[in-house]
Amino acid sequence: LVEVAATARPPVCKLMDYGKFKYESAMKAREARKNQAHTIIKEIKLRPKIDPHDYETKKGHVVRFLKAGDKVKVTIMFRGREQSRPELGFRLLQRLADDVQELGFVESHAKQDGRNMIMVIGPHKKKAEAKAEKAAAKAQRGGEEPSAEESSGQEASVQEA
């Protein structure tokens, strides 16, 4: 006699092979763990005096990470006299947060940590949603492209008309 649903009123019990029941529940747990999405923190490092093109490149990386459902830790490294001007780094982080606002939100605001200033941006959609969306887009692209036979058949019908 195995108790299947202890929380139900009245509790549900079944007559079954207990070893088989334990094995099946372990397999379900393993399958659930396999499908679980792990949140990864990606890091981007910047300097306060960054060139506009370099900034766009780094912003592109942040956008790619957020679309994939990962958190992004943005670090600004100060060297020498730059340490006396932390407002430059703060402005740069604010600009980056505004640029990627539609993909993510500021999880941890900019704060000075020794020679570095750190901010964490989290994605609006979860990792599992991003994976599912990517798989759907890939499947749709695969379905839209006609094969060589279909495209030659379409050309023939166009020429006849």
Side-chain angles (χ1 to χ4, degrees):
L1 188 66
V2 178
E3 188 176 35
V4 178
T7 57
R9 289 284 161 218
V12 180
C13 295
K14 271 185 171 178
L15 286 174
M16 64 168 61
D17 181 7
Y18 185 64
K20 182 180 176 184
F21 172 73
K22 282 192 70 160
Y23 173 77
E24 287 175 351
S25 63
M27 287 294 110
K28 283 182 186 176
R30 180 183 291 169
E31 195 66 30
R33 258 195 322 275
K34 188 174 87 172
N35 293 331
Q36 189 176 31
H38 302 287
T39 304
I40 300 170
I41 297 181
K42 303 282 189 169
E43 184 172 9
I44 294 289
K45 292 190 175 190
L46 305 169
R47 296 283 314 279
K49 293 188 260 183
I50 189 169
D51 189 62
H53 180 264
D54 294 337
Y55 172 78
E56 291 299 321
T57 303
K58 295 287 189 173
K59 186 180 86 172
H61 294 315
V62 171
V63 166
R64 187 180 72 216
F65 295 149
L66 290 174
K67 281 184 178 175
D70 296 322
K71 290 182 182 182
V72 182
K73 177 181 173 184
V74 184
T75 304
I76 295 189
M77 301 172 293
F78 296 101
R79 293 198 333 221
R81 285 191 220 162
E82 294 172 348
Q83 291 179 41
S84 64
R85 302 284 306 277
E87 66 274 2
L88 292 176
F90 185 76
R91 258 188 271 148
L92 186 62
L93 288 176
Q94 288 301 107
R95 180 174 151 208
L96 182 66
D98 291 340
D99 288 347
V100 297
Q101 191 172 19
E102 65 275 355
L103 295 171
F105 63 97
V106 177
E107 208 169 85
S108 167
H109 290 283
K111 56 182 168 254
Q112 186 86 25
D113 181 31
R115 292 180 168 212
N116 301 330
M117 187 174 278
I118 299 169
M119 179 175 76
V120 178
I121 302 172
H124 284 307
K125 56 184 172 186
K126 296 200 176 356
K127 182 87 169 176
E129 294 172 13
K131 265 187 174 177
E133 193 173 284
K134 188 176 179 182
K138 189 175 183 180
Q140 188 178 18
R141 271 189 309 215
E144 285 180 4
E145 297 175 353
S147 65
E149 298 167 8
E150 291 174 339
S151 61
S152 63
Q154 289 173 350
E155 291 170 8
S157 63
V158 170
Q159 291 173 352
E160 291 171 5

Short mmCIF file of all heavy atoms in Angstrom, two decimals, residues 66-70 103 122-130 133:
data_model
loop_
_atom_site.label_atom_id
_atom_site.label_comp_id
_atom_site.label_asym_id
_atom_site.label_seq_id
_atom_site.Cartn_x
_atom_site.Cartn_y
_atom_site.Cartn_z
N LEU A 66 21.17 39.53 -22.95
CA LEU A 66 19.83 39.70 -22.39
C LEU A 66 18.79 38.96 -23.22
O LEU A 66 17.84 38.40 -22.67
CB LEU A 66 19.48 41.19 -22.31
CG LEU A 66 20.24 41.99 -21.25
CD1 LEU A 66 19.92 43.47 -21.36
CD2 LEU A 66 19.96 41.48 -19.86
N LYS A 67 18.95 38.93 -24.55
CA LYS A 67 18.02 38.18 -25.39
C LYS A 67 18.09 36.70 -25.11
O LYS A 67 17.10 35.99 -25.24
CB LYS A 67 18.31 38.44 -26.88
CG LYS A 67 17.76 39.75 -27.38
CD LYS A 67 18.00 39.89 -28.87
CE LYS A 67 17.41 41.19 -29.39
NZ LYS A 67 17.73 41.39 -30.81
N ALA A 68 19.28 36.22 -24.73
CA ALA A 68 19.45 34.80 -24.39
C ALA A 68 18.93 34.49 -23.00
O ALA A 68 18.89 33.33 -22.60
CB ALA A 68 20.92 34.41 -24.50
N GLY A 69 18.52 35.52 -22.24
CA GLY A 69 17.96 35.30 -20.91
C GLY A 69 18.98 35.29 -19.79
O GLY A 69 18.69 34.84 -18.69
N ASP A 70 20.20 35.77 -20.05
CA ASP A 70 21.24 35.81 -19.03
C ASP A 70 21.31 37.18 -18.36
O ASP A 70 20.97 38.18 -18.97
CB ASP A 70 22.61 35.52 -19.66
CG ASP A 70 22.69 34.12 -20.23
OD1 ASP A 70 22.13 33.20 -19.62
OD2 ASP A 70 23.31 33.94 -21.30
N LEU A 103 14.93 45.39 -23.16
CA LEU A 103 15.31 43.99 -23.00
C LEU A 103 15.55 43.59 -21.55
O LEU A 103 15.40 42.43 -21.20
CB LEU A 103 16.57 43.70 -23.80
CG LEU A 103 16.44 43.83 -25.31
CD1 LEU A 103 17.79 43.73 -25.97
CD2 LEU A 103 15.50 42.78 -25.85
N GLY A 122 19.25 42.60 -15.32
CA GLY A 122 18.57 41.32 -15.49
C GLY A 122 17.63 41.36 -16.67
O GLY A 122 17.09 42.41 -17.01
N PRO A 123 17.41 40.22 -17.32
CA PRO A 123 16.51 40.18 -18.49
C PRO A 123 15.05 40.22 -18.08
O PRO A 123 14.70 39.79 -16.98
CB PRO A 123 16.85 38.85 -19.15
CG PRO A 123 17.29 37.99 -18.02
CD PRO A 123 17.99 38.92 -17.05
N HIS A 124 14.18 40.74 -18.97
CA HIS A 124 12.75 40.74 -18.69
C HIS A 124 12.18 39.34 -18.81
O HIS A 124 11.27 38.97 -18.08
CB HIS A 124 12.00 41.68 -19.65
CG HIS A 124 12.17 43.13 -19.32
ND1 HIS A 124 11.91 43.65 -18.08
CD2 HIS A 124 12.59 44.17 -20.08
CE1 HIS A 124 12.14 44.95 -18.08
NE2 HIS A 124 12.57 45.30 -19.29
N LYS A 125 12.69 38.55 -19.77
CA LYS A 125 12.17 37.18 -19.94
C LYS A 125 13.15 36.17 -19.37
O LYS A 125 14.36 36.38 -19.38
CB LYS A 125 11.87 36.89 -21.40
CG LYS A 125 13.01 37.07 -22.35
CD LYS A 125 12.53 36.84 -23.76
CE LYS A 125 13.62 37.21 -24.76
NZ LYS A 125 13.16 37.15 -26.11
N LYS A 126 12.62 35.08 -18.90
CA LYS A 126 13.44 34.06 -18.27
C LYS A 126 14.21 33.24 -19.31
O LYS A 126 13.91 33.27 -20.49
CB LYS A 126 12.54 33.13 -17.45
CG LYS A 126 11.86 33.82 -16.29
CD LYS A 126 11.41 32.80 -15.28
CE LYS A 126 10.79 33.35 -14.02
NZ LYS A 126 10.75 34.73 -13.80
N LYS A 127 15.21 32.53 -18.85
CA LYS A 127 16.07 31.73 -19.72
C LYS A 127 15.26 30.70 -20.50
O LYS A 127 15.48 30.51 -21.70
CB LYS A 127 17.13 31.04 -18.86
CG LYS A 127 18.13 30.23 -19.60
CD LYS A 127 19.27 31.06 -20.05
CE LYS A 127 20.39 30.17 -20.56
NZ LYS A 127 21.47 30.94 -21.09
N ALA A 128 14.30 30.04 -19.85
CA ALA A 128 13.50 29.01 -20.51
C ALA A 128 12.65 29.62 -21.63
O ALA A 128 12.52 29.03 -22.71
CB ALA A 128 12.61 28.31 -19.50
N GLU A 129 12.09 30.80 -21.39
CA GLU A 129 11.29 31.48 -22.42
C GLU A 129 12.16 31.85 -23.62
O GLU A 129 11.75 31.69 -24.77
CB GLU A 129 10.66 32.75 -21.86
CG GLU A 129 9.62 32.52 -20.79
CD GLU A 129 9.18 33.82 -20.13
OE1 GLU A 129 9.48 34.91 -20.65
OE2 GLU A 129 8.54 33.74 -19.08
N ALA A 130 13.37 32.33 -23.35
CA ALA A 130 14.28 32.71 -24.43
C ALA A 130 14.67 31.49 -25.26
O ALA A 130 14.73 31.55 -26.49
CB ALA A 130 15.53 33.37 -23.86
N GLU A 133 11.67 30.49 -27.41
CA GLU A 133 11.49 31.45 -28.50
C GLU A 133 12.52 31.23 -29.60
O GLU A 133 12.20 31.27 -30.79
CB GLU A 133 11.63 32.86 -27.94
CG GLU A 133 11.16 33.96 -28.85
CD GLU A 133 11.19 35.30 -28.14
OE1 GLU A 133 10.31 35.56 -27.32
OE2 GLU A 133 12.13 36.08 -28.46
#
